[in-house]
Amino acid sequence: MVGAASPGPQRVLITDATQGGVLGGSLTGVLEFLGHLDRGRFEPALVLFEPKPIVDELRAQGIAVHVLATPRVRGVKPRSRIGRLLARIADVWRVFGFRARQLLRLLRRERPALIYCSNGVTPSLPVVAVAVLLGIPVICHIKGFGRPGLVARWLSRWVEVAICMTDELAEHARARGIRPRRFLTIFDGIDPAVCTPTGGAAVRRELGIPPDAPVVGIVGHIQGWKGQLLVVEAVARARQAVPALRCLIVGGVHRLGTAYAEELRQRIATLGLEDAVILTGARRDVLACMAAMDIVLHASDREPFGRVLIEAMAAGRPVIAPREGGPLVIVEDGQTGLLVPPRDPDALARAIVELLGDPGRRAAMGKAGRERVARMFDIRQHTREMEQVFDEVLTARAGSRG
């Protein structure tokens, strides 16, 4: 193994290209992985495309963190359609060049043995391009149903391994022309031991929710595709059968979700739900917020995976999610939660009422959910599989040089 033969741990540069001013599930998964990575074999460093609120915390743990400077775009909006398109193309290439120059300096200085792009090929194009130029092996983690452009499809041929969160994502990427040397599916993982359902009573007291009130909730940054509006519509319908129902919407507003957040607030007011639906904003005590819920809802539009679902299940909470995308892999319908037709507020409302009316079934689902997470989505298994990929890529690169 490369790690054993080298004089010290192999330096792995991990890039996170997410932008939007929030700490989302993708980076949360990376942080969980970093916490379990074998530092005797791998020396991780994190490259962020924007500042995140965990930089100081990571540096205190001995992890090098590099935050790239923010590129400037002209902001000029030509009147013609063709002019706007050309301006957009110019801005994209300007950002690409700006990022590439930063990364070229960084990689030449850090000299990593391996680069792990945690957001797939398209968001990581400057990283992949510079890595190819410098001859550094690249692994890309595909976490979304995007439509890769020509450049992404072409550069993907130099990606050693495309790790996908589900087989469906691998099939999607392959069908759209992503051509790494190898595809591999690895489920995300969490530490079930830390997902204990505690703190719920304190959260209820803080938010003025009676101890015996039925509570559902959704966790995720506020942005159109996450489905908070759908949840509000479903709660309005469910309250016809369960008038005491409360709902928590936990999450900060994404950079691209400002208008959606305002629409969400207006809809809550129009439906007269100001006292029933609580927008908590971004919280660091997400697990405690889940513990305050009787049911955790998921309403994203074709969610690639759904990390919040495994967190909720590990916390012993039954879940309701759309019957598509990642939830099909995570949720065992009727056993750990319910799968409902996507984008259907009536179906979601019926499922809410059904589970709230059966405490025994909710408890059984919570127990089954914890067991399923421990069996399929444990961070230790995830880390072992990721480390094996790192080792294989480094060994193959060392063999090609020898």
Side-chain angles (χ1 to χ4, degrees):
M1 304 292 275
V2 169
S6 63
Q10 297 287 293
R11 180 169 296 178
V12 177
L13 208 63
I14 301 172
T15 67
D16 177 80
T18 58
Q19 298 177 77
V22 295
L23 183 61
S26 176
L27 182 53
T28 301
V30 171
L31 299 180
E32 185 104 31
F33 168 59
L34 281 174
H36 290 79
L37 186 66
D38 184 350
R39 303 292 183 82
R41 294 160 57 204
F42 304 103
E43 178 189 347
L46 186 62
V47 178
L48 302 174
F49 276 38
E50 71 172 11
K52 299 289 186 182
I54 41 74
V55 171
D56 292 340
E57 181 180 330
L58 288 171
R59 286 173 175 161
Q61 297 172 15
I63 297 174
V65 182
H66 308 279
V67 181
L68 299 183
T70 303
R72 292 183 179 182
V73 295
R74 290 180 180 179
V76 177
K77 296 182 179 179
R79 293 183 180 181
S80 71
R81 185 176 180 181
I82 294 177
R84 288 194 298 271
L85 175 60
L86 292 175
R88 173 61 179 162
I89 293 172
D91 280 341
V92 168
W93 281 105
R94 191 175 296 111
V95 170
F96 179 93
F98 182 86
R99 294 287 195 208
R101 289 191 296 273
Q102 291 183 85
L103 288 160
L104 187 60
R105 291 191 295 268
L106 175 64
L107 296 184
R108 281 175 169 166
R109 184 176 71 246
E110 296 296 316
R111 301 176 63 83
L114 174 67
I115 296 176
Y116 164 48
C117 299
S118 67
N119 311 110
V121 181
T122 299
S124 309
L125 281 178
V127 185
V128 178
V130 173
V132 170
L133 177 65
L134 297 179
I136 304 171
V138 182
I139 295 169
C140 283
H141 206 143
I142 296 177
K143 299 179 178 179
F145 292 106
R147 293 187 175 184
L150 177 62
V151 177
R153 296 196 298 272
W154 179 67
L155 278 176
S156 70
R157 294 181 295 174
W158 283 275
V159 172
E160 300 292 336
V161 182
I163 298 171
C164 300
M165 304 172 84
T166 65
D167 289 340
E168 182 184 16
L169 278 171
E171 293 167 7
H172 173 91
R174 188 181 288 111
R176 280 155 181 77
I178 296 298
R179 294 288 182 267
R181 292 186 170 92
R182 180 161 59 115
F183 277 102
L184 185 65
T185 296
I186 298 178
F187 293 149
D188 256 22
I190 61 172
D191 186 349
V194 305
C195 293
T196 53
T198 60
V203 170
R204 285 190 175 222
R205 285 194 300 271
E206 175 194 343
L207 300 177
I209 301 174
D212 58 347
V215 178
V216 298
I218 181 171
V219 177
H221 57 259
I222 296 177
Q223 190 180 6
W225 76 279
K226 286 294 186 179
Q228 287 91 353
L229 264 173
L230 177 72
V231 167
V232 168
E233 297 291 347
V235 167
R237 291 160 171 75
R239 276 173 61 85
Q240 297 175 18
V242 189
L245 177 63
R246 304 291 186 91
C247 176
L248 301 182
I249 297 180
V250 181
V253 179
H254 191 277
R255 173 175 56 89
L256 301 178
T258 304
Y260 180 76
E262 182 56 33
E263 182 184 359
L264 182 65
R265 295 186 190 98
Q266 291 178 2
R267 189 58 180 157
I268 291 169
T270 299
L271 292 171
L273 297 175
E274 296 98 326
D275 294 333
V277 178
I278 301 171
L279 299 170
T280 71
R283 305 272 303 209
R284 296 300 297 268
D285 60 342
V286 170
L287 290 173
C289 290
M290 287 184 181
M293 305 171 191
D294 296 294
I295 305 168
V296 175
L297 308 178
H298 199 275
S300 297
D301 190 354
R302 203 184 180 193
E303 172 70 59
F305 187 71
R307 182 179 179 82
V308 70
L309 289 170
I310 60 176
E311 291 173 341
M313 287 161 54
R317 291 296 178 264
V319 297
I320 303 175
R323 191 180 289 113
E324 65 176 2
L328 288 171
V329 174
I330 296 172
V331 182
E332 192 174 7
D333 191 21
Q335 300 299 314
T336 67
L338 297 177
L339 294 175
V340 298
R343 295 167 289 281
D344 186 338
D346 292 313
L348 181 54
R350 288 193 295 270
I352 290 171
V353 173
E354 177 185 337
L355 283 189
L356 287 177
D358 195 339
R361 191 180 184 196
R362 294 202 309 271
M365 285 181 168
K367 181 175 183 294
R370 287 194 297 271
E371 293 171 351
R372 185 170 176 82
V373 171
R375 185 171 63 252
M376 296 182 61
F377 306 108
D378 192 299
I379 186 60
R380 285 164 283 270
Q381 176 64 22
H382 170 86
T383 303
R384 283 193 296 271
E385 293 180 19
M386 293 289 291
E387 289 176 342
Q388 182 176 348
V389 176
F390 288 3
D391 278 331
E392 289 172 354
V393 170
L394 289 168
T395 300
R397 179 54 59 99
S400 67
R401 287 175 176 172

